[in-house]
Amino acid sequence: ETKNTQHLIVKDIIDSELAITTDDGNLVYENIHTAFDNKNVVELDFKGINIMITAFLNSSLTSSVFNFVSLS
């Protein structure tokens, strides 16, 4: 099965150079979730992000890993 790659530009999703809120992280998570639901491979682009904190990472990536990645 051929999968499409969806290139997600974080700066465009959150409309900011600062990745610092859980709300912004949730926006990224929703985009990742939609791409995975559509059976796409996700490529995250952090170009243009100047500051990122763990609150953002936890809400965007940690949830994605535990919801979509098989750890077996």
Side-chain angles (χ1 to χ4, degrees):
E1 172 182 340
T2 303
K3 296 188 178 205
N4 294 321
T5 298
Q6 187 160 352
H7 185 85
L8 301 177
I9 302 170
V10 174
K11 181 180 174 188
D12 291 348
I13 294 169
I14 65 174
D15 194 30
S16 177
E17 296 174 353
L18 308 175
I20 59 175
T21 70
T22 56
D23 287 342
D24 285 344
N26 289 336
L27 289 173
V28 173
Y29 170 80
E30 290 169 9
N31 279 264
I32 294 169
H33 186 349
T34 299
F36 283 163
D37 280 349
N38 292 323
K39 309 288 189 223
N40 291 325
V41 173
V42 174
E43 180 178 277
L44 291 174
D45 185 336
F46 291 94
K47 187 183 300 180
I49 297 294
N50 295 322
I51 296 174
M52 185 181 314
I53 66 171
T54 55
F56 172 85
L57 287 172
N58 287 340
S59 62
S60 62
L61 299 180
T62 304
S63 297
S64 298
V65 169
F66 289 112
N67 285 324
F68 300 111
V69 175
S70 173
L71 300 176
S72 57

